[in-house]
Amino acid sequence: MSKRILLLVHPDLIPPTDIKDPDRYKSPWITEYDVYQQLVNDGHIVKFLGLYNTLSKLQEEISDFEPHIVFNLLEEFNGDPKSDYKVVALLEMLSIPFTGCNSKGLMLARDKALSKKILKHHKLGTPNFITFPKRKKRKAPKSLKYPLIVKCLFEEASYGIAKASVVHSEEKLLERIKYIHENLDQDAIIEEFIEGKELYVGIIGNKKLKSLPIWELKFSNVDEPEKEIYTSRAKWNEKYRERKGIESVPANLDKLTTEKIIKTCKKAYQVLELSGYARVDIRLSNEGKIYILEVNPNPNIATDEEFTKSAAHLGIDYSELLNGLI
């Protein structure tokens, strides 16, 4: 059945209207393009709304367009990734149906430190960590074991992650924290780095949860793949990916390990009070221990992303996936 769908995106991520075969590594709006094309092909009436910092614009479009549902691809508000929940809270107050996660789940999961505290409280494995807010002096942690990895506290999609993010000394740690603070203008989170397999688990649902097949990030052309990380270059640089042999494929795990991972990821989804859909990023250590790195509500759903490929592996094509989320 055809629906009027308001496609909510960042204004800089509205795709050009004259592109038919975009470069998937150089088009920052590729997810928005894929979703729009599929929904239109499925017979829906789709309208883009680029939203940056004016909520009245959203209210006007809802009044004028009268969408059956808002397809939410927005990942920030007013340039702040931890404020996207406020837009969803408005939709909730207006009783407008929307895809993806509820406002409370977004707020809990976007803050990596807060989400890790909740996971630890529920006895779910996650690396030991400490936060380094901007403009607040702290000493290098003595309780954490090197190597450590330094990340932005609220960002995702490998933003700010490079080979230099993994540090083996206090000197390099302080250098990377300074880079996050001064060059990226972000708060930092420091975690113990877990060597092992990097795995992704897609979860769909509200009360009744469906897990997608476990997906693995592979580095085929390196000597020690368990020490590799998914940097921005590893994600977006095609030549770098080819040189390192980077690909994402169905994970080859035994039945017991698979069941433990799925159970862990579903519990993480529930304790963070998520809804809609999410991707749980984990490391399976060389000793077989499960560590949750991040829980990402509303993950990337471009046609070639891990979440989408995992759904396809289960027999859910792109049209079925998007309409299922609706």
Side-chain angles (χ1 to χ4, degrees):
M1 179 180 174
S2 176
K3 295 182 182 293
R4 288 188 305 279
I5 300 174
L6 188 63
L7 194 52
L8 189 59
V9 303
H10 189 285
D12 291 344
L13 298 178
I14 297 178
T17 57
D18 57 347
I19 300 267
K20 291 187 177 180
D21 188 20
D23 186 324
R24 304 194 67 81
Y25 287 99
K26 296 181 180 178
S27 304
W29 35 257
I30 197 66
T31 299
E32 291 76 7
Y33 175 88
D34 286 348
V35 171
Y36 176 81
Q37 293 294 329
Q38 186 61 62
L39 294 178
V40 169
N41 290 342
D42 288 340
H44 299 298
I45 302 165
V46 186
K47 184 176 183 179
F48 274 108
L49 172 59
L51 190 68
Y52 184 69
N53 61 358
T54 310
L55 288 174
S56 59
K57 194 174 178 182
L58 174 58
Q59 291 175 287
E60 289 169 9
E61 282 293 350
I62 289 171
S63 178
D64 294 342
F65 185 53
E66 296 184 339
H68 293 106
I69 192 166
V70 172
F71 203 113
N72 182 25
L73 293 179
L74 201 65
E75 295 183 343
E76 62 177 50
F77 181 71
N78 198 23
D80 184 359
K82 63 180 181 293
S83 291
D84 62 344
Y85 80 92
K86 297 174 182 177
V87 179
V88 174
L90 176 62
L91 295 174
E92 290 170 338
M93 287 189 291
L94 294 173
S95 298
I96 302 297
F98 58 90
T99 64
C101 190
N102 66 83
S103 61
K104 184 177 182 181
L106 284 173
M107 181 178 65
L108 295 178
R110 289 288 191 236
D111 185 331
K112 293 184 178 71
L114 177 58
S115 63
K116 286 174 182 294
K117 289 174 184 176
I118 295 171
L119 295 175
K120 280 181 174 289
H121 175 76
H122 289 276
K123 296 180 172 52
L124 293 169
T126 190
N128 295 322
F129 72 95
I130 191 170
T131 58
F132 273 72
K134 294 179 296 181
R135 294 177 287 277
K136 186 175 180 181
K137 288 189 176 181
R138 299 193 68 167
K139 294 182 179 179
K142 302 297 183 183
S143 58
L144 300 184
K145 297 178 182 178
Y146 288 93
L148 303 173
I149 183 167
V150 186
K151 305 178 186 177
C152 297
L153 182 56
F154 295 103
E155 294 285 355
E156 54 183 27
S158 298
Y159 182 76
I161 296 181
K163 293 291 286 184
S165 298
V166 178
V167 297
H168 295 79
S169 68
E170 182 174 323
E171 178 186 5
K172 292 299 181 182
L173 171 63
L174 296 176
E175 280 181 14
R176 194 62 189 177
I177 292 171
K178 184 178 180 181
Y179 173 82
I180 295 287
H181 286 174
E182 297 182 2
N183 293 61
L184 304 183
D185 194 28
Q186 299 279 335
D187 294 331
I189 182 170
I190 295 88
E191 303 173 359
E192 292 181 350
F193 178 67
I194 308 300
E195 294 186 5
K197 296 178 182 291
E198 182 146 337
L199 306 172
Y200 308 108
V201 182
I203 306 289
I204 300 174
N206 297 326
K207 292 182 180 179
K208 186 177 181 180
L209 304 183
K210 181 188 192 71
S211 63
L212 300 179
I214 302 172
W215 223 244
E216 180 178 357
L217 181 68
K218 287 256 189 183
F219 290 80
S220 302
N221 297 338
V222 299
D223 293 331
E224 297 179 295
E226 69 279 0
K227 295 184 178 181
E228 295 290 334
I229 58 173
Y230 210 8
T231 64
S232 293
R233 288 184 72 195
K235 192 173 182 66
W236 302 112
N237 188 307
E238 188 174 7
K239 290 183 178 179
Y240 184 86
R241 290 176 64 88
E242 289 176 358
R243 187 168 72 251
K244 292 261 188 176
I246 299 172
E247 58 179 343
S248 56
V249 297
N252 183 19
L253 303 169
D254 62 76
K255 184 179 178 181
L256 181 59
T257 301
T258 298
E259 290 174 350
K260 285 176 63 177
I261 289 173
I262 296 297
K263 183 178 179 180
T264 297
C265 292
K266 283 185 175 180
K267 185 174 180 181
Y269 188 99
Q270 290 169 328
V271 301
L272 292 174
E273 301 191 40
L274 304 187
S275 58
Y277 61 108
R279 188 193 69 241
V280 185
D281 300 353
I282 69 173
R283 278 260 175 172
L284 182 64
S285 74
N286 297 329
E287 296 75 36
K289 188 173 180 179
I290 300 166
Y291 291 89
I292 299 173
L293 301 182
E294 295 179 15
V295 182
N296 298 294
N298 302 357
N300 197 323
I301 49 172
T303 56
D304 51 1
E305 284 291 327
E306 287 87 2
F307 190 94
T308 309
K309 291 195 288 187
S310 181
H313 190 69
L314 197 62
I316 303 171
D317 66 20
Y318 199 49
S319 172
E320 186 180 353
L321 176 64
L322 297 190
N323 285 283
L325 298 181
I326 289 171

